[in-house]
Amino acid sequence: MSPATKELLKRVRMMVPPMLEKFHKGMLGRVAVIGGSENYTGAPYFSAMASARLGADLSHVICTPPAANVIKTYSPNLMVHPLMHENPSHSTPSTLASPVIAMLTHLHSLVIGPGLGRDDLMQETVAEVVSAAREKKLPLVLDADALWLIQRKPELVKGYKECVLTPNVVEFGRLAQAVGLDTKGDTGKEGCKALANALGGVMIVRKGRVDWISDGSDDWTIVSDGEGGRKRSGGQGDTLTGSIGTLLAWRNIYLDGAWETEGGMGRQETLMLAAFGGSAITRECSRLAFGKKGRSLQASDLTEEVPVAFETLIGEKEESKL
């Protein structure tokens, strides 16, 4: 591990709230994942479980009724809300978005995209939710088919500096094309900075052999290059979104001064650290799981490694221990 990575993880640790007796249920993170459709039930589960296993107090999944029935059988630890609907439906996006928007004030962060699909009604409902979350200044993580939405409507997040996008190389290229950006095939440091700037300073996590992270500035453009596994099974990016979701929740608690904090870190640095921390933890989960499972590795294997990766990279604070 490089000295730069050690220093970044040290600062991520500063943002992690200790488990104090004075804290009540929900104070250590309330995270929701919007996704899960008739054909995709695993992705939102993996994202929400990563959030929970990293340490969020409350982890929600907001999905379609058919997906809810399935996801509820995966784990009793998640709160599953069947509020989303696909076509055909007599409901409008605004009507469907209303109960979801009502939940936003109770959350620290919101992940959108795992298993969402590209159904028009689902996409338009999410567009309403993103707009409302932005008004409430709620931190967002957008991945998968939420990025499909942003490709068509980049104005939804442009200039919103409480937002993390997590594209792979293909999604990165589509986003760049959507905003009229010619990166000349550069999806690394300079390309990542350029796309973040074109979107008005949102935080980009460009997933790949190494993960480039940038808000477009020189100060907060970094690489996450921890060793990962060599199996590229589907669903590993869901561990990333859930992990970032929890770290963004802890960021909110840190910025609110809920305990005697250290580091004097501001909003943009802590946004970058949440993105970096999620990337580092996911890569370590992949490395650990690959070491045990090899070629047979599946996304569920990463879920089991989340607390191990946290302890290895960041470590529990003394005041949290009995």
Side-chain angles (χ1 to χ4, degrees), residues 163-187:
C163 182
V164 180
L165 307 184
T166 60
N168 59 30
V169 172
V170 174
E171 292 163 336
F172 183 96
R174 291 172 179 164
L175 285 168
Q177 186 176 20
V179 296
L181 178 66
D182 181 9
T183 64
K184 296 180 172 57
D186 183 355
T187 61

Side-chain angles (χ1 to χ4, degrees), residues 32-37 40-48 61-64 67 71 110-117 122 126 141-147 166 235 237-242:
V33 177
I34 297 180
S37 51
Y40 304 107
T41 59
Y45 165 77
F46 292 133
S47 181
V61 176
I62 302 169
C63 58
T64 65
I71 294 169
L110 179 63
V111 177
I112 306 178
L116 181 68
M122 292 277 278
V126 163
V141 186
L142 273 61
D143 186 42
D145 285 323
L147 298 178
T166 60
D238 302 314
T239 295
L240 174 65
T241 58

Side-chain angles (χ1 to χ4, degrees), residues 60-188:
H60 302 260
V61 176
I62 302 169
C63 58
T64 65
N69 292 334
V70 176
I71 294 169
K72 287 178 181 179
T73 70
Y74 293 160
S75 173
N77 297 311
L78 304 177
M79 288 159 285
V80 184
H81 310 271
L83 300 176
M84 301 292 287
H85 288 269
E86 297 175 276
N87 280 314
S89 172
H90 297 298
S91 298
T92 66
S94 295
T95 300
L96 293 172
S98 181
V100 180
I101 291 170
M103 293 179 62
L104 300 183
T105 55
H106 303 291
L107 301 176
H108 288 117
S109 65
L110 179 63
V111 177
I112 306 178
L116 181 68
R118 297 180 182 180
D119 175 82
D120 288 344
L121 184 58
M122 292 277 278
Q123 291 272 313
E124 291 305 315
T125 302
V126 163
E128 299 265 354
V129 174
V130 170
S131 294
R134 184 169 181 169
E135 288 180 7
K136 298 177 186 297
K137 296 180 171 56
L138 181 68
L140 299 174
V141 186
L142 273 61
D143 186 42
D145 285 323
L147 298 178
W148 179 261
L149 171 65
I150 301 308
Q151 290 165 33
R152 296 184 295 113
K153 296 184 177 182
E155 67 276 7
L156 285 171
V157 298
K158 189 172 184 179
Y160 185 45
K161 296 187 178 182
E162 294 288 312
C163 182
V164 180
L165 307 184
T166 60
N168 59 30
V169 172
V170 174
E171 292 163 336
F172 183 96
R174 291 172 179 164
L175 285 168
Q177 186 176 20
V179 296
L181 178 66
D182 181 9
T183 64
K184 296 180 172 57
D186 183 355
T187 61

Side-chain angles (χ1 to χ4, degrees), residues 254-308:
Y254 172 90
L255 293 171
D256 286 344
W259 77 97
E260 190 172 338
T261 60
E262 57 182 324
M265 300 180 294
R267 302 196 73 84
Q268 208 60 16
E269 180 179 4
T270 51
L271 186 70
M272 177 274 292
L273 289 171
F276 174 80
S279 169
I281 287 168
T282 302
R283 298 177 75 88
E284 178 68 2
C285 288
S286 177
R287 185 188 71 82
L288 292 167
F290 182 74
K292 295 175 181 179
K293 302 291 185 176
R295 193 177 296 273
S296 71
L297 181 145
Q298 298 297 310
S300 56
D301 298 318
L302 271 70
T303 304
E304 298 306 311
E305 301 296 344
V306 170
V308 182

